[in-house]
Amino acid sequence: MRVAFFADSLVSCWNHGDAHFLRGVIAELQARDHDVVVHEPRSSWSRANLVHDHGEAPLAQFRDAFPGMDVQLYDYESVEPEELIEGCDLVIVHEWTQPWLVGELGRLRRRGGRFRLLFHDTSHRMATAPHEMERYDLAEYDGVLAHGEVIASLHADRGRRAWIWHEAADTRVFTPLPVVEKRGDLVWVGNWGDGERTHELHEFLLRPARRLRLRGSVFGVCYPPQAVRAVAKSGLTYRGWVANNRVPEIFAEHRVTVHVPRRPYSELLPGIPTIRPFEALACGIPLVSAPWSDTEGLFTPGLDYLLARNEREMRKHLRLLLNDDAAARELTTHGLETIRDRHTCAHRVDELLAVCAKLGVRELST
């Protein structure tokens, strides 16, 4: 197939977890001889913040790390959508695309476009800010790829065809690195969270680290000064933004990690863990999670990861995994097997191609 993605950014992963998953999906599509192009706005929020903080070097590093990915920049003021999708069999439009462009691609479909058109919804706004999502005209779209059952159901309630398309690990990048020397106990890779998990980060990350006197690192962006001070008080070291393709090495340098979901996911969107647990388990690092409800049966708590319902349980689980090598090894082995059996980007491409078959997308012979 000839596939076009419209994304906020593929190049930048600055506070932009969707880039992680899309990179893995695109790499897998290319490995199966599909022709893929990604269109992203030159002025995207994630890209602009990355360049502001770190200059142009990370953009060149992306090209070195993912040399085969065709990323085309466009300007909202002058973009000609019809030219961008010429010859495409499938067009996938991410929900951070400007609403007017989402609608214009739908109108091109209505005016006789022979491509199939899917909307990729990976945020919690359908549940937390439905008025914002009403700005998107999806009437001419063939359906929605939703990153969890709750989001798919909300679209279905509005008369749209929707498929569950969970995130997954790009196992070309996220894999165990057993020869890397351990440098710390605990690592957290994640952004502060715009107030959506401030209390939870204190309860499940910072206070346990301080009380257990752990050494380790915190990576991420959008940390206000009081957050940086809180990290320092915990005994961990705040290290700022890191390119996502470097995270496997960072995981390998530490003995355990935690997952702290944002409040909308833990309270309103059960079944959606977001991307980090997939990546951590794929790297074979023991994982302890703050509360979230795995209503869709993606993993098995107690076998793939440990679930802490409060700070006391978090300290208990961290102490176990840091002091019992056999328990840590058993947990990581099971978690890694679950990823490889069910949750790689190859699995998600299989699911995408099954959707394409239902929609009658023409696959070109090779």
Side-chain angles (χ1 to χ4, degrees):
M1 296 184 294
R2 168 76 171 167
V3 185
F5 284 85
F6 285 78
D8 182 69
S9 185
L10 189 77
V11 171
S12 174
C13 59
W14 192 99
N15 202 5
H16 182 44
D18 297 313
H20 311 184
F21 176 55
L22 289 177
R23 291 170 181 176
V25 166
I26 290 164
E28 183 64 27
L29 284 167
Q30 290 175 326
R32 302 187 193 193
D33 293 326
H34 298 292
D35 184 10
V36 184
V37 61
V38 179
H39 300 294
E40 66 176 67
R42 194 183 310 274
S43 59
S44 80
W45 175 81
S46 177
R47 182 190 184 98
N49 278 285
L50 178 63
V51 172
H52 177 271
D53 287 357
H54 300 280
E56 300 280 340
L59 307 183
Q61 292 164 4
F62 166 82
R63 290 189 291 271
D64 292 340
F66 303 95
M69 295 196 180
D70 182 7
V71 179
Q72 302 293 324
L73 301 178
Y74 67 85
D75 297 298
Y76 279 120
E77 298 78 11
S78 59
V79 63
E80 297 289 343
E82 190 168 9
E83 294 179 3
L84 302 187
I85 59 175
E86 183 177 357
C88 286
D89 302 290
L90 176 66
V91 178
I92 299 176
V93 186
H94 189 262
E95 51 93 15
W96 279 116
T97 305
Q98 287 285 329
W100 68 263
L101 182 52
V102 172
E104 180 59 26
L105 291 166
R107 287 185 284 276
L108 290 172
R109 177 85 167 87
R110 184 180 65 231
R111 293 198 294 265
R114 300 183 64 183
F115 56 92
R116 291 292 180 263
L117 183 60
L118 294 170
F119 187 70
H120 186 199
D121 193 347
T122 65
S123 86
H124 54 68
R125 290 190 295 166
M126 278 296 290
T128 60
H131 60 283
E132 292 186 15
M133 299 305 292
E134 294 301 324
R135 299 180 299 155
Y136 294 87
D137 181 4
L138 303 180
E140 304 301 327
Y141 279 63
D142 293 289
V144 176
L145 299 171
H147 72 151
E149 184 177 1
V150 173
I151 299 299
S153 297
L154 290 171
H155 281 286
D157 290 344
R158 289 160 173 78
R160 300 167 190 149
R161 198 172 185 184
W163 293 271
I164 298 170
W165 203 41
H166 277 289
E167 295 171 306
D170 178 4
T171 50
R172 288 178 171 80
V173 175
F174 286 83
T175 188
L177 301 174
V179 298
V180 174
E181 180 183 353
K182 301 297 181 190
R183 301 178 184 274
D185 302 313
L186 173 64
V187 63
W188 153 259
V189 184
N191 306 318
W192 188 249
D194 305 318
E196 293 179 346
R197 56 182 169 202
T198 302
H199 171 79
E200 291 83 354
L201 285 170
H202 282 278
E203 180 178 4
F204 292 100
L205 174 66
L206 301 181
R207 288 202 300 267
R210 183 175 73 250
R211 292 177 180 177
L212 293 174
R213 299 182 179 180
L214 302 183
R215 297 178 302 109
S217 302
V218 171
F219 293 85
V221 300
C222 299
Y223 282 67
Q226 63 270 28
V228 175
R229 289 193 295 270
V231 172
K233 184 178 178 181
S234 76
L236 304 176
T237 302
Y238 176 60
R239 301 189 184 277
W241 175 79
V242 62
N244 193 53
N245 54 288
R246 287 196 52 228
V247 170
E249 181 180 355
I250 289 167
F251 279 152
E253 291 174 344
H254 294 81
R255 300 172 61 200
V256 67
T257 190
V258 300
H259 174 52
V260 184
R262 295 171 184 253
R263 204 167 304 121
Y265 289 98
S266 61
E267 294 181 353
L268 298 176
L269 299 172
I272 301 176
T274 67
I275 192 80
R276 287 299 183 192
F278 293 104
E279 294 176 340
L281 296 180
C283 287
I285 184 171
L287 172 67
V288 186
S289 179
W292 73 280
S293 181
D294 188 4
T295 57
E296 299 184 50
L298 299 175
F299 305 110
T300 305
L303 294 179
D304 294 320
Y305 65 92
L306 301 182
L307 184 64
R309 293 169 295 181
N310 50 49
E311 180 186 339
R312 182 185 60 79
E313 288 192 357
M314 177 60 78
R315 294 199 309 271
K316 173 186 172 183
H317 292 330
L318 290 175
R319 189 181 295 111
L320 170 70
L321 294 173
L322 290 169
N323 291 286
D324 188 332
D325 290 342
R329 190 162 49 248
E330 183 177 357
L331 193 71
T332 57
T333 298
H334 200 283
L336 182 58
E337 289 176 353
T338 297
I339 292 295
R340 290 175 173 174
D341 289 347
R342 302 172 57 195
H343 300 308
T344 70
C345 287
H347 291 103
R348 300 301 181 257
V349 167
D350 289 341
E351 294 165 7
L352 176 62
L353 296 180
V355 170
C356 291
K358 292 178 181 179
L359 296 175
V361 178
R362 178 174 61 92
E363 289 198 35
L364 303 178
S365 60
T366 58

